[in-house]
Amino acid sequence: MSTFNIMIVGVGGQGTLLASRILGNAVISEGYDVKVSEVHGMSQRGGSVVTYVKFGDKVYSPIVDKGEADIILAFELLEAYRALPYLKKGGKMIINDQQINPMPVITGAAQYPQNIKEKLSQVCDITVVDALSMAEKAGNIKAVNVVLIGVMAKNTDIPYETWTDTIKTTVPEKFLEVNLKAFDLGYNSKQ
Amino acid sequence: MKKLLLGNAAVARGAYEAGVRVVSSYPGTPSTEITESIVQYPEIFVEWAPNEKVAAEVVIGSSVAGGRAMSCCKHVGLNVMADPVFTVSYIGANAGLVFCVADDPGMHSSQNEQDSRHYAKASKTLMLEPSDSSECKEFTKRAFELSEKFDVPVFIRLSTRVSHSQSLVELEDREEIELKPYEKNIAKNVMMPANAVKRHVLVEKRNLELIEFAENTDLNCIENNNGKIGVITSGICDMYAHEALGDKVNYLKLGMVYPLPEKKIKDFAAMCDKVYVIEELDPFIEEHCKAIGVQVIGKDVFTMLGEYTPSMIKKAVLGEESAESISADEAIPVRPPVMCAGCPHRGTFYVLKKLGLTVSGDIGCYTLGAAAPLQSVDTTICMGASVSAAHGMAKARGDEFNKKLVSVIGDSTFIHSGITGLIDIVYNKGINTVIILDNSITGMTGHQDNPTTGKTIRGEATKQVDLVRLCQAVGIDYVTVADPFDVKNFEKVVKEEINRQAPSVIIAQRPCALLKTVKYKGHCVITDACKKCKMCMKLGCPAISLEGDAVRIDTTQCNGCGLCTNVCPFGAIKKED
Ligand SMILES: Cc1ncc(C[n+]2csc(CCOP(=O)(O)OP(=O)(O)O)c2C)c(N)n1
């Protein structure tokens, strides 16, 4: 009866919300029960943001507890590191290889941890992708979120077309082409 | 058809299906998307009101006149609407009248963690609490029926995780509800003492009827799993409890959280050896249980602070540890929210900090002016308080203090409740300087139009409040409009106004960088002329950081607003396309 739990983490403004919505809608078209927990408000202003997507036969709680995420999709390195305690034993992290300094690092009050990727790879299964370059290649750096959805999609049983159909219904018409391209680049990237 | 909907969107859908005619609200996280979702239904008149009190009165008017109506707000918004709400409890509802209030346990986006259930009890109304999107829709429809059936305003209480989680909802058609007849009824609708005395009697009688209803309604349901342990929950906690405890315990889920049943709770307790009450924030249900003589375990094992989780419940009730987890063995720097790259407020706070002023602050994106490195804001209380509290500060400490004091308040917040404070200053001979941070939008809650933007919630053009003339009209003789990115001039204006022996207003005008109409181009770069003085670092711009001892601008974050080029004393920052 257990659910499949995905946690999406990033920095406010990176488009994690759209990513979780695409994910949620793709999952329902496969007939699962699903819950998507979003973040709105203050933390969208450049703070740490966390959204959860859970699916299965029946989902109760919309949030994912520590040690329970099957996949963590991290839009930024430090946020990946912060989310580590949420990863299930044997779970997987998909990480966008981007560093965004938080204000305490900018002001010098704290240090950005060194070698995050190496440290994470020692304790869990990680896939690191350069989503920013892929988004650029697709035509808009804002499409990082959809690139990452593409990478993540490859790790599920949900067919390619379900994803692209979902993107068609969730993304505004004028950004559709860029987003479909971004998805494809992520989906077909080396993992 | 089933659709994945946000709890907030599901409340809107429920209102639509219930034939609602009028929705008036003031935004506030986590409630904002309810009213925004109403926009998709052309059958409903929807508006952003200047504040929650106005919004509540608008929907009360609609109800009295015979049209179903709803107003939505965040928990602190309910404080602002409390005055009409307490009295409309006496008047009741001609057509269904619903107030939807969203609490924010964990304070994701709020200045306090108040529990709005107390309001239902204090106003002797009725309160429902859904636990997912499907219930959000269903309970909203029930709320309108109950409101009319019992002649009572009904609250729907949400919390962040219900408002902001999406789950599946079955969509149904809208029921077109006829307007209720409007009849003049002074005894019911004019709350002067002689009438109110009689209405109060009916309110108490109604409350007894509602308790009777609470005993029998399917909104409060028992799930008997033949366990020894019983759990009483409501809202999101019911979901957490089910996830944590499965069918190992019996449940009493209270969909109606005020008034609470007595017999049903006693019957439930009799089924179990031990009963837990699982509720976030205050011991509202727990105290009721104890008052009716039912022994329960509540806040002695559960906290009054923040949000709950399933693992917390599992540990407290079953004594089982949560899943194993790995953590990093070093400190991970926090990432607090910051003013965005290109935020117009940054220019204002840079200047205020430079001048070393005491800043009476308010609520909005500009509250972030209290965060490092600017740390310019001294106080934040509630919407509008920047203006009135500064008046009090000046009266307590005198003119010398006042010369180093300003208020800062956003455009939406100024209209919400800053204008009354300004009138107080003028009327009572204050000489304060108030800075209105006019970024042409209600920013913090995610870009809602307001009376100063010239557009309605539906994006239609409308009359725009002229802030300059408004301030002049209440008696401010010195109103200056200045661009906060022109830091030299802005500094000059601030200095002039704080030294004036008269009240003054500075309108810091520059639109929010996230508005679609704002098109900054390219980005800024540090050139070889940089002397590493780090003046630009004082801006606290998320795009500017130190690498070693060199300053670097992250081009993926910089939007080319150019503020840093204005503060660099060596002209070492240039704009590039
Ligand atoms: C009584 C009350 N209602 C609503 C809110 C939610 N809220 C916080 S800030 C804000 C709007 C701020 O807009 P504005 O004053 O224009 O400043 P900006 O965020 O655009 O800088 C709102 C509605 C609140 N905190 N208190």
Side-chain angles (χ1 to χ4, degrees):
Chain A
M1 211 201 69
S2 75
T3 54
F4 195 82
N5 304 333
I6 300 169
M7 182 169 174
I8 303 180
V9 299
V11 178
Q14 279 191 305
T16 51
L17 212 67
L18 180 68
S20 55
R21 287 190 172 179
I22 293 173
L23 201 55
N25 280 295
V27 165
I28 43 167
S29 43
E30 292 296 296
Y32 291 109
D33 186 25
V34 61
K35 281 199 174 145
V36 180
S37 179
E38 305 186 343
V39 191
H40 298 256
M42 193 105 174
S43 52
Q44 279 183 299
R45 302 275 170 265
S48 297
V49 287
V50 180
T51 59
Y52 310 102
V53 180
K54 295 174 73 167
F55 59 96
D57 295 336
K58 169 82 190 153
V59 185
Y60 290 104
S61 158
I63 62 167
V64 175
D65 257 320
K66 284 194 176 139
E68 293 192 338
D70 293 279
I71 295 183
I72 293 179
L73 187 59
F75 282 46
E76 198 268 350
L77 289 163
L78 180 64
E79 296 312 313
Y81 203 23
R82 192 191 312 285
L84 178 63
Y86 287 84
L87 195 66
K88 190 182 266 180
K89 230 177 151 186
K92 182 181 174 102
M93 271 212 199
I94 297 167
I95 306 170
N96 177 26
D97 196 1
Q98 193 181 350
Q99 170 171 347
I100 299 176
N101 288 336
M103 202 44 73
V105 170
I106 291 177
T107 60
Q111 290 265 315
Y112 197 97
Q114 302 286 304
N115 310 320
I116 290 178
K117 284 175 279 184
E118 290 69 22
K119 288 174 190 160
L120 285 175
S121 68
Q122 279 165 19
V123 291
C124 65
D125 175 8
I126 68 168
T127 299
V128 180
V129 291
D130 181 0
L132 199 61
S133 315
M134 285 188 252
E136 224 165 351
K137 206 164 142 197
N140 190 337
I141 55 165
K142 292 218 171 96
V144 162
N145 51 3
V146 182
V147 171
L148 289 167
I149 285 292
V151 179
M152 130 105 230
K154 198 66 183 272
N155 288 276
T156 68
D157 301 332
I158 301 171
Y160 185 94
E161 289 67 35
T162 305
W163 293 100
T164 49
D165 288 349
T166 311
I167 292 172
K168 284 175 197 156
T169 55
T170 21
V171 167
E173 180 78 40
K174 65 174 181 183
F175 301 117
L176 190 58
E177 208 186 306
V178 171
N179 279 301
L180 287 175
K181 212 163 150 193
F183 177 80
D184 191 71
L185 285 169
Y187 194 87
N188 291 311
S189 64
K190 261 231 268 326
Q191 293 188 25
Chain B
M1 190 184 70
K2 274 202 169 170
K3 221 180 147 184
L4 196 55
L5 285 187
L6 214 52
N8 282 347
V11 169
R13 180 73 198 188
Y16 165 77
E17 291 177 7
V20 163
R21 285 173 192 263
V22 173
V23 173
S24 179
S25 310
Y26 182 74
T29 315
S31 71
T32 312
E33 300 80 12
I34 307 170
T35 308
E36 286 179 332
S37 303
I38 294 284
V39 171
Q40 65 188 296
Y41 307 116
E43 295 90 339
I44 303 176
F45 171 80
V46 55
E47 66 172 26
W48 287 129
N51 66 35
E52 292 87 352
K53 177 177 182 291
V54 173
E57 290 153 355
V58 169
V59 300
I60 290 168
S62 172
S63 164
V64 168
R68 287 188 169 185
M70 175 170 80
S71 183
C72 313
C73 64
K74 70 181 289 162
H75 60 341
V76 289
L78 184 50
N79 303 336
V80 179
M81 60 161 75
D83 191 14
V85 163
F86 274 70
T87 298
V88 80
S89 169
Y90 283 34
I91 290 177
N94 181 18
L97 176 61
V98 172
F99 298 106
C100 187
V101 54
D103 285 2
D104 190 17
M107 291 181 276
H108 297 269
S109 292
S110 301
Q111 67 266 37
N112 77 27
E113 209 171 13
Q114 71 187 50
D115 187 329
S116 56
R117 292 176 296 176
H118 298 294
Y119 272 97
K121 186 173 180 186
S123 63
K124 298 183 176 164
T125 49
L126 192 166
M127 183 177 262
L128 305 181
E129 183 173 23
S131 63
D132 65 5
S133 299
S134 172
E135 284 188 357
C136 279
K137 197 200 83 165
E138 190 204 324
F139 284 19
T140 303
K141 293 171 84 169
R142 297 280 291 266
F144 282 100
E145 285 163 19
L146 292 171
S147 173
E148 287 172 7
K149 181 167 177 213
F150 290 99
D151 196 9
V152 65
V154 176
F155 282 110
I156 295 169
R157 183 214 191 202
L158 306 174
S159 60
T160 301
R161 295 294 176 188
V162 173
S163 282
H164 287 164
S165 293
Q166 298 200 49
S167 56
L168 291 170
V169 179
E170 182 76 45
L171 303 188
E172 294 159 282
D173 291 336
R174 176 173 166 97
E175 197 185 335
E176 282 306 339
I177 306 275
E178 293 272 304
L179 279 174
K180 291 261 160 117
Y182 173 73
E183 279 154 24
K184 185 163 177 155
N185 186 345
I186 291 177
K188 185 170 192 279
N189 295 330
V190 180
M191 282 307 97
M192 53 188 184
N195 295 343
V197 164
K198 293 187 193 120
R199 293 299 302 176
H200 189 183
V201 178
L202 297 177
V203 167
E204 297 303 335
K205 192 166 152 265
R206 180 183 70 197
N207 210 43
L208 295 177
E209 287 164 15
L210 290 176
I211 294 170
E212 188 55 36
F213 174 76
E215 303 287 2
N216 302 309
T217 175
D218 61 346
L219 289 161
N220 297 331
C221 51
I222 290 175
E223 179 187 325
N224 186 354
N225 294 316
N226 298 313
K228 287 194 162 56
I229 297 175
V231 163
I232 303 178
T233 63
S234 71
I236 194 68
C237 286
D238 179 65
M239 291 294 168
Y240 294 158
H242 269 90
E243 174 138 335
L245 312 171
D247 56 10
K248 291 183 188 141
V249 303
N250 308 327
Y251 296 90
L252 169 58
K253 174 181 180 289
L254 298 167
M256 179 170 162
V257 288
Y258 190 80
L260 289 163
E262 195 174 317
K263 187 171 173 298
K264 197 169 233 167
I265 290 174
K266 286 181 173 160
D267 290 350
F268 179 70
M271 287 165 46
C272 317
D273 294 349
K274 198 168 165 188
V275 177
Y276 289 86
V277 175
I278 305 178
E279 54 185 331
E280 287 172 337
L281 304 180
D282 294 345
F284 186 82
I285 299 170
E286 178 183 346
E287 281 174 357
H288 171 79
C289 292
K290 289 183 172 162
I292 61 171
V294 173
Q295 279 316 306
V296 293
I297 306 164
K299 296 299 172 185
D300 28 4
V301 296
F302 291 106
T303 174
M304 291 206 232
L305 313 176
E307 295 187 285
Y308 289 3
T309 62
S311 60
M312 207 165 137
I313 294 171
K314 205 181 212 170
K315 178 127 205 279
V317 177
L318 303 177
E320 289 175 18
E321 289 302 325
S322 41
E324 246 182 275
S325 78
I326 330 161
S327 46
D329 50 10
E330 64 186 304
I332 297 182
V334 293
R335 189 186 298 275
V338 290
M339 284 186 270
C340 307
C343 178
H345 303 329
R346 181 169 286 110
T348 302
F349 288 118
Y350 174 78
V351 169
L352 300 182
K353 164 116 178 182
K354 188 171 170 206
L355 296 175
L357 302 185
T358 299
V359 177
S360 177
D362 221 299
I363 310 225
C365 287
Y366 49 93
T367 309
L368 296 169
L374 287 160
Q375 291 177 304
S376 168
V377 172
D378 286 67
T379 56
T380 294
I381 308 155
C382 65
M383 293 191 81
S386 60
V387 182
S388 21
H391 179 55
M393 285 178 172
K395 290 296 174 195
R397 299 195 76 95
D399 280 3
E400 278 316 301
F401 186 80
N402 194 43
K403 284 195 174 136
K404 294 290 248 174
L405 170 69
V406 291
S407 304
V408 292
I409 183 164
D411 44 62
S412 182
T413 306
F414 181 70
I415 297 294
H416 179 280
S417 47
I419 179 70
T420 38
L422 191 66
I423 292 171
D424 186 36
I425 288 172
V426 173
Y427 173 50
N428 290 303
K429 305 186 176 188
I431 54 167
N432 300 67
T433 298
V434 173
I435 305 179
I436 301 177
L437 304 166
D438 180 9
N439 61 352
S440 311
I441 202 74
T442 315
M444 180 88 276
T445 41
H447 283 187
Q448 292 75 33
D449 279 291
N450 68 51
T452 72
T453 68
K455 281 206 203 109
T456 68
I457 191 172
R458 291 195 186 275
E460 295 153 355
T462 183
K463 282 259 189 201
Q464 183 172 10
V465 169
D466 183 331
L467 287 172
V468 174
R469 283 171 56 207
L470 175 61
C471 295
Q472 286 168 341
V474 304
I476 301 286
D477 294 329
Y478 303 91
V479 183
T480 317
V481 178
D483 176 1
F485 273 17
D486 182 352
V487 286
K488 274 210 188 81
N489 179 58
F490 197 79
E491 184 177 334
K492 188 177 128 259
V493 170
V494 173
K495 273 188 187 151
E496 249 167 52
E497 297 309 325
I498 51 178
N499 284 305
R500 202 183 282 289
Q501 279 301 320
S504 59
V505 168
I506 301 167
I507 301 177
Q509 210 165 57
R510 181 170 273 262
C512 169
L514 302 183
L515 282 173
K516 287 203 177 68
T517 46
V518 174
K519 292 200 164 55
Y520 293 123
K521 280 213 182 72
H523 42 76
C524 299
V525 289
I526 310 276
T527 66
D528 292 345
C530 175
K531 299 256 190 293
K532 300 180 181 164
C533 73
K534 304 191 183 111
M535 200 65 143
C536 54
M537 296 290 303
K538 294 195 172 154
L539 289 171
C541 174
I544 310 177
S545 57
L546 276 183
E547 233 161 58
D549 70 339
V551 179
R552 194 183 70 95
I553 296 181
D554 179 347
T555 52
T556 61
Q557 297 234 55
C558 173
N559 58 9
C561 79
L563 174 63
C564 54
T565 64
N566 295 348
V567 304
C568 177
F570 304 104
I573 309 181
K574 289 270 171 321
K575 267 188 79 170
E576 272 186 1
D577 285 337

